[in-house]
């Protein structure tokens, strides 16, 4: 309907310059845009209920005739209560209005009307307070639009009704017929009519399905386009797969999911002339590191250098330790580069990176600083990718010549959101845990039971296990952070935990100091780590079995899940204790999700539902265009849209065919609105 996008809303009856101004605030300038401005909700006036049946529903519609009017009661000069009794032939209903004399007068004239509201039984009469009232001719599903101060939903509805009637009989459907057929989609014209004025709820569902599909399809196509833009020739194509050799080094057997992910990666690097661009997603503890190590191994054996970037020093150091141990009897040389390293070793590692005497260099953001030069970077791995901006990722990539890219990410990103944000990446999912993992039992308690929790920790430690306590934060500030951890430590000496080996881990600490403590903990020389959230990501000490979190309410679900993921990594039964005195229903509901499930994907989806995608990454921009109708937890549609996008791209990569012109146009609109080409360079 491109032509309707050229007709200003002022062409509609009842829309003058003032209203047009209000429409503009809603992002609506033209009739076409109005058609694409969807209701946020609906009221069902289409199937009125009997008054008695309405009792068991919240908001609903009843059809009733005037039977008598009561005397208005004047409560104050500015408050008059009007009551009218109506009947559906079986029961009477008293409808009450405040100050609406015109409504009183209108109903008093007699006749039948529709009343929309909630019926209550007050003991002697059935009542509905301040209902919306319409004529019986208005018996349909009414759209409720987002409104502004000067434009209410009724006025928008009026305009939308005209807009819908202006739609041509046969619209040019941007989604080609075969795809519509395959995925059971209704036509665009039908969808738009029914999203505004649904014939019934089935039609509304159909309309929504179609519009959601369109939105996701266009997004996916946009992502595919960006991806194809990047498929340049790589000089790091690998010739031989060394995974078999690698497996000999591993102290355990890979899970099937890990094997598949490795196979996906090697396939990418071996079979294509363009570089690998893959996301490996797996819940905490699913064994992403081993996947990365395997891929690095084969890359190095084929003559490439690898960079492995982690978001924190602790994590980089841990990876360094693990990979050094894993590769100690091979000719692979592993190096470490972090910001807090002393000048001399830093210079040495810079030198080694430059002349190629180190094969795998693990590090933090220090890896992307300007003075780091690789001899021949062939594979860039980023761990916990959602913590890095795209800019940082591309900086790392720029250190090589079209290197392969492997991105690893834990669950905090729901599957559907990941598909969209990382839609320009191929995806492997680790949907399986290494064998022998047990469910982590999670409890929610208030601080009155804290001492019992300490007793529990004591028992575990006496059994040879280790514990984490995430201590409360007074303020979000690294200085007070330390103080509160130290005070907490002191307070513990007045409990049953006195005399155990404790250590503090906090954000302000030097990298080497954190490293020392983590190593001590890992070696079993520390019983309890008292930490701020620096332990959040990736730390791996299989002997630890309890994670106790103070003020659990201040964390998001995904964050809690990450924290909990520090335990339950070995063969011992593990526990998570959430302490909170916050009684807000929302908080309790959130924390209960943690007690109910260990499934990180579920938790992420709940988190998304409770907080919305906008908040998902905190203040971080994820660069997604705003979705109007698509629900991100609708996995099936996301996947269908993805498949459809791939089909379309395969037959017509540039979307230059006539039947794809509409889609092409929409992709351009989409990306013009977010400037996301910058995001995805
Ligand atoms: P994440 O996916 O959270 O990064 P890690 O790579 O840190 O997980 O692995 C978690 C733990 O599981 C580590 O101790 C690792 O050695 C171990 N692990 C990984 N894969 C396996 C496997 N297939 N069998 C047994 N243990 C494994
Ligand atoms: Mg990890």
């Amino acid at each position: 309907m491109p032509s309707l996008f050229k007709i200003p809303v002022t062409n509609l009856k009842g829309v003058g310059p003032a209203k047009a101004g209000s429409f503009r605030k809603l992002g609506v300038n033209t009739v076409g845009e109005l058609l694409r401005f969807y209701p946020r909700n609906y009221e069902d006036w289409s199937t009125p209920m009997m008054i008695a049946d309405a009792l068991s529903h919240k908001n609903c519609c009843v059809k009733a005739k005037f039977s008598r009017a009561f005397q208005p009661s004047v409560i104050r000069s500015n408050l008059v209560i009007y009551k009218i009794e109506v009947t559906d032939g079986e029961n009477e209903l008293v409808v009450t209005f405040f100050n609406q004399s015109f409504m009183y007068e209108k109903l008093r004239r007699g006749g039948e009307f529709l009343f929309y509201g909630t019926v209550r039984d007050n003991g002697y009469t059935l009542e509905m307070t301040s209902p919306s009232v319409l004529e019986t001719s208005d018996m349909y599903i009414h759209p409720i639009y987002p409104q502004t101060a000067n434009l209410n939903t009724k006025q928008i509805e009026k305009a939308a009704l005209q807009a819908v009637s202006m739609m041509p009989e046969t619209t040019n459907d941007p989604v080609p017929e075969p795809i519509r057929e395959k995925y059971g989609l209704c036509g665009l014209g039908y969808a738009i009519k029914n999203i505004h004025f649904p014939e019934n709820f089935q039609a509304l569902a159909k309309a929504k399905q179609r519009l959601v599909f369109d939105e996701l399809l266009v997004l996916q196509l946009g992502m595919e386009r960006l991806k194809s833009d990047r498929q340049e020739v790589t000089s790091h194509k690998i010739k031989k797969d060394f995974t078999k050799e690698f497996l000999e080094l591993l102290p355990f057997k890979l899970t099937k999911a890990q094997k598949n992910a490795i196979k996906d990666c090697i396939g990418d690097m071996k079979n294509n002339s363009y570089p690998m661009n893959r996301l490996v997603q797996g819940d905490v503890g699913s064994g992403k590191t081993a996947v990365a190590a395997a891929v690095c191994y084969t890359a190095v054996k084929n003559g490439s250098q690898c960079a492995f970037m982690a978001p924190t020093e602790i994590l980089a150091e841990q990876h360094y330790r693990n990979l050094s141990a894993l590769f100690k009897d091979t000719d692979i040389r592993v190096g470490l580069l972090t910001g807090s390293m002393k000048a001399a070793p830093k210079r040495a590692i810079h030198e080694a990176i430059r002349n190629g005497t180190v094969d795998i260099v693990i590090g933090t953001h220090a890896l992307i600083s300007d003075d780091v030069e690789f001899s021949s970077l062939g594979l860039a791995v980023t761990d916990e990718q959602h913590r890095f901006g795209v800019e940082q990722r591309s900086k790392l990539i720029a250190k090589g010549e079209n290197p392969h890219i492997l991105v690893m990410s834990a669950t905090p990103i729901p599957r559907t959101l990941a598909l969209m944000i990382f839609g320009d990446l191929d995806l492997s999912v680790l949907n399986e845990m290494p064998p022998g993992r047990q469910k982590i039992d999670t409890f929610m308690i208030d601080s009155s039971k804290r001492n019992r929790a300490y007793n529990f920790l004591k028992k575990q430690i006496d059994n040879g296990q280790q514990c984490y306590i995430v201590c409360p934060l007074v303020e979000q500030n690294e200085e007070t952070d330390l103080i509160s951890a130290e005070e907490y430590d002191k307070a513990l000496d007045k409990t049953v935990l006195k005399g155990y080996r404790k250590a503090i881990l906090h954000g302000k600490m030097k990298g080497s100091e954190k490293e020392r403590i983590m190593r001590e903990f890992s070696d079993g020389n520390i019983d309890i780590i008292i930490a701020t959230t620096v332990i959040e990501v990736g730390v791996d000490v299989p002997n630890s079995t309890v994670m106790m979190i103070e003020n659990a309410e201040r964390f998001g679900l995904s964050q809690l899940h990450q924290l909990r993921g520090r335990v339950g990594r070995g063969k011992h039964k593990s526990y998570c204790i959430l302490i909170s005195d916050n009684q807000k229903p929302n908080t309790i509901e959130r924390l209960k999700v943690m007690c109910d499930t260990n499934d990180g994907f579920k938790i992420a989806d709940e988190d998304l539902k409770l907080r919305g995608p906008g908040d998902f990454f905190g203040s971080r921009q994820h660069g997604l265009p705003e979705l109007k109708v698509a629900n991100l937890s609708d996995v099936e549609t996301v996947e269908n849209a993805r498949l459809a996008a791939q089909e379309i791209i395969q037959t017509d990569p540039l979307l230059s065919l006539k039947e794809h012109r509409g889609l092409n146009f929409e992709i351009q609109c989409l990306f013009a609105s977010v400037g996301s080409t910058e995001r995805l360079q």
Side-chain angles (χ1 to χ4, degrees):
M1 296 162 282
S3 61
L4 290 184
F5 283 94
K6 297 217 172 80
I7 303 176
V9 281
T10 41
N11 275 31
L12 301 170
K13 256 203 335 236
V15 183
K19 273 212 188 110
S22 300
F23 268 116
R24 196 173 316 119
K25 283 200 187 116
L26 295 169
V28 174
N29 298 298
T30 65
V31 173
E33 283 167 349
L34 177 56
L35 288 171
R36 292 302 194 147
F37 181 74
Y38 307 135
R40 64 171 162 76
N41 211 342
Y42 300 85
E43 278 178 3
D44 185 10
W45 297 70
S46 68
T47 41
M49 290 184 186
M50 295 303 283
I51 292 169
D53 296 334
L55 255 178
S56 52
H57 288 78
K58 248 196 117 123
N59 283 314
C60 61
C61 175
V62 299
K63 186 159 87 171
K65 279 198 180 86
F66 171 82
S67 61
R68 64 183 163 132
F70 300 91
Q71 271 305 317
S73 27
V74 181
I75 306 292
R76 299 189 294 271
S77 63
N78 59 353
L79 179 60
V80 185
I81 298 182
Y82 299 97
K83 283 181 188 283
I84 297 259
E85 186 189 81
V86 296
T87 176
D88 63 4
E90 281 181 14
N91 287 291
E92 276 74 50
L93 176 72
V94 175
V95 289
T96 306
F97 299 96
F98 303 101
N99 294 342
Q100 286 174 280
S101 59
F102 64 94
M103 191 60 86
Y104 181 73
E105 294 305 333
K106 174 175 163 172
L107 296 181
R108 218 149 67 106
R109 269 175 249 135
E112 197 172 28
F113 296 92
L114 301 173
F115 300 89
Y116 191 96
T118 301
V119 176
R120 288 200 181 79
D121 186 351
N122 64 19
Y124 46 98
T125 50
L126 299 179
E127 269 199 339
M128 196 187 261
T129 306
S130 305
S132 310
V133 181
L134 289 176
E135 310 288 334
T136 50
S137 56
D138 287 325
M139 218 155 71
Y140 59 96
I141 301 169
H142 287 251
I144 307 293
Y145 292 92
Q147 32 202 323
T148 69
N150 301 315
L151 200 57
N152 64 37
T153 179
K154 283 273 163 276
Q155 294 164 322
I156 299 175
E157 182 184 331
K158 244 192 203 156
L161 192 62
Q162 295 177 59
V164 166
S165 72
M166 287 165 75
M167 278 167 55
E169 263 319 297
T170 49
T171 49
N172 268 337
D173 199 315
V175 176
E177 173 84 44
I179 298 234
R180 284 198 321 257
E181 210 151 275
K182 182 161 179 188
Y183 296 99
L185 303 169
C186 66
L188 182 61
Y190 178 89
I192 292 202
K193 259 185 207 137
N194 278 280
I195 199 82
H196 291 282
F197 300 100
E199 286 164 22
N200 51 49
F201 281 95
Q202 250 170 329
L204 176 59
K206 270 269 159 218
K208 265 193 189 151
Q209 181 205 8
R210 165 67 206 253
L211 296 175
V212 166
F213 187 93
D214 278 24
E215 200 165 30
L216 296 174
L217 176 67
V218 168
L219 187 58
Q220 301 278 5
L221 281 171
M223 292 296 195
E224 290 286 335
R225 170 167 299 176
L226 290 169
K227 182 157 94 184
S228 65
D229 284 351
R230 211 169 32 215
Q231 295 193 337
E232 288 169 38
V233 173
T234 178
S235 48
H236 302 281
K237 186 167 166 165
I238 67 165
K239 296 193 180 62
K240 189 165 173 240
D241 180 359
F242 285 84
T243 307
K244 261 216 180 98
E245 212 174 286
F246 171 81
L247 293 182
E248 313 262 302
L249 307 170
L250 265 188
F252 46 73
K253 270 174 79 176
L254 291 176
T255 64
K256 220 169 162 192
Q258 284 172 314
K259 276 190 207 148
N260 286 338
I262 294 168
K263 216 158 103 203
D264 289 345
C265 294
I266 306 277
D268 289 350
M269 301 194 298
K270 197 162 164 240
N271 302 334
N272 304 331
S273 55
Y274 48 87
M276 162 168 78
N277 196 22
R278 183 168 291 274
L279 169 67
V280 171
Q281 201 189 15
D283 205 349
V284 274
S286 58
K288 293 183 288 293
T289 318
V291 172
V295 179
C296 286
Y297 189 85
T298 286
V300 171
K301 288 287 175 183
N302 279 274
S304 281
Q305 246 181 338
C306 302
F308 192 147
M309 187 159 76
T312 64
E313 297 208 341
I314 289 193
L315 203 53
E317 282 152 7
Q318 179 183 290
H319 286 323
Y320 173 68
R321 263 199 320 274
N322 289 341
L323 265 58
S324 302
L326 189 62
F327 295 137
K328 75 176 183 310
D329 296 328
T330 70
D331 54 358
I332 290 182
R333 295 152 300 184
V334 183
L336 176 70
L337 174 60
T338 64
S340 66
M341 273 165 69
K342 292 233 170 63
K346 200 182 260 176
R347 220 174 304 120
I349 186 73
H350 277 180
E351 182 62 28
I353 296 172
R354 187 163 27 241
N355 59 30
T357 50
V358 58
D359 301 307
I360 303 176
V361 54
I362 297 162
T364 55
H365 301 87
L367 284 174
I368 52 175
S369 69
D370 289 337
D371 47 356
V372 176
E373 242 178 81
F374 283 83
S375 132
S376 90
L377 179 64
L379 168 65
V381 182
T382 51
D383 194 11
E384 308 293 348
Q385 155 74 15
H386 61 285
R387 299 212 148 203
F388 293 111
V390 172
E391 199 184 81
Q392 288 164 322
R393 188 171 103 200
S394 42
K395 247 186 168 166
L396 181 61
I397 296 166
K399 301 264 178 206
E401 262 171 58
N402 290 322
H404 299 290
I405 299 158
L406 176 58
V407 168
M408 298 195 293
S409 200
T411 358
I413 312 153
R415 213 184 308 261
T416 46
L417 201 51
L419 280 176
M420 283 189 265
I421 296 175
F422 301 128
D424 60 324
L425 302 177
D426 296 303
L427 180 67
S428 300
V429 177
L430 299 183
N431 53 2
E432 180 188 7
M433 284 288 168
R437 295 282 162 78
Q438 303 175 50
K439 180 173 180 290
I440 302 166
D441 281 343
T442 302
F443 306 97
M444 177 164 64
I445 61 174
D446 61 35
S447 55
S448 71
K449 301 209 178 66
R450 187 183 280 121
N451 278 326
R452 272 169 65 182
Y454 288 152
N455 271 316
F456 181 74
L457 263 67
K458 176 178 156 54
K459 240 195 242 153
Q460 291 282 319
I461 298 168
D462 291 344
N463 250 332
Q465 313 309 145
Q466 292 159 281
C467 307
Y468 296 97
I469 299 178
V470 176
C471 69
L473 257 194
V474 187
E475 279 166 63
Q476 294 287 341
N477 169 329
E478 284 185 336
E479 299 292 341
T480 51
D481 195 25
L482 169 62
I483 297 167
S484 72
E486 279 174 345
E487 276 173 4
Y488 196 91
D489 182 23
K490 258 192 238 142
L492 275 188
D493 284 334
K494 301 199 177 76
T495 73
V496 292
L497 293 175
K498 179 180 162 67
Y500 287 94
R501 297 165 302 173
K502 305 189 252 82
I504 292 177
L505 203 61
H506 65 89
K508 256 291 175 75
M509 244 167 194
K510 277 218 186 90
S512 57
E513 188 61 10
K514 288 185 206 162
E515 151 87 340
R516 188 183 62 76
I517 289 174
M518 276 322 290
R519 178 166 291 159
E520 293 267 297
F521 188 63
S522 183
D523 290 345
N525 299 329
I526 293 173
D527 301 312
I528 306 172
I529 291 240
I530 299 165
T532 60
T533 48
V534 285
I535 51 164
E536 191 190 327
V537 191
V539 173
D540 185 39
V541 179
N543 191 47
S544 54
T545 55
V546 186
M547 168 62 67
M548 174 167 157
I549 303 170
E550 295 274 0
N551 296 132
E553 75 278 352
R554 73 195 143 105
F555 296 105
L557 278 182
S558 300
Q559 235 180 335
L560 287 173
H561 182 65
Q562 285 275 313
L563 284 168
R564 178 169 65 181
R566 298 313 106 217
V567 299
R569 306 191 134 235
K571 51 187 183 296
H572 309 285
K573 177 84 187 163
S574 295
Y575 306 87
C576 174
I577 303 170
L578 305 173
I579 303 187
S580 177
D581 289 330
N582 189 313
Q583 292 297 319
K584 285 196 198 127
N586 187 295
T587 307
I588 295 173
E589 188 191 342
R590 227 153 41 86
L591 297 182
K592 214 173 149 297
V593 172
M594 291 297 294
C595 302
D596 291 346
T597 183
N598 271 240
D599 182 336
F601 285 117
K602 262 197 206 139
I603 289 171
D605 281 338
E606 281 300 320
D607 210 13
L608 184 65
K609 267 187 223 146
L610 291 168
R611 292 199 291 168
D615 288 347
F616 205 83
F617 294 92
S619 56
R620 194 185 301 281
Q621 274 287 324
H622 51 60
L624 263 189
E626 202 183 322
L627 298 170
K628 284 198 223 163
V629 279
N631 181 350
L632 295 167
S633 42
D634 184 0
V635 183
E636 206 189 320
T637 316
V638 173
E639 257 143 42
N640 284 343
R642 205 170 144 79
L643 289 176
Q646 273 159 4
E647 277 168 54
I648 293 173
I649 292 275
Q650 252 158 33
T651 54
D652 181 20
L654 299 175
L655 301 183
S656 48
L657 294 177
K658 190 165 156 277
E659 65 261 36
H660 295 147
R661 226 172 266 163
L663 284 174
N664 204 0
F665 174 73
E666 296 205 13
I667 294 169
Q668 282 161 12
C669 295
L670 180 81
F671 286 116
S673 71
V674 281
S676 44
T677 39
E678 181 193 359
R679 189 184 77 80
L680 290 152
Q681 64 213 215

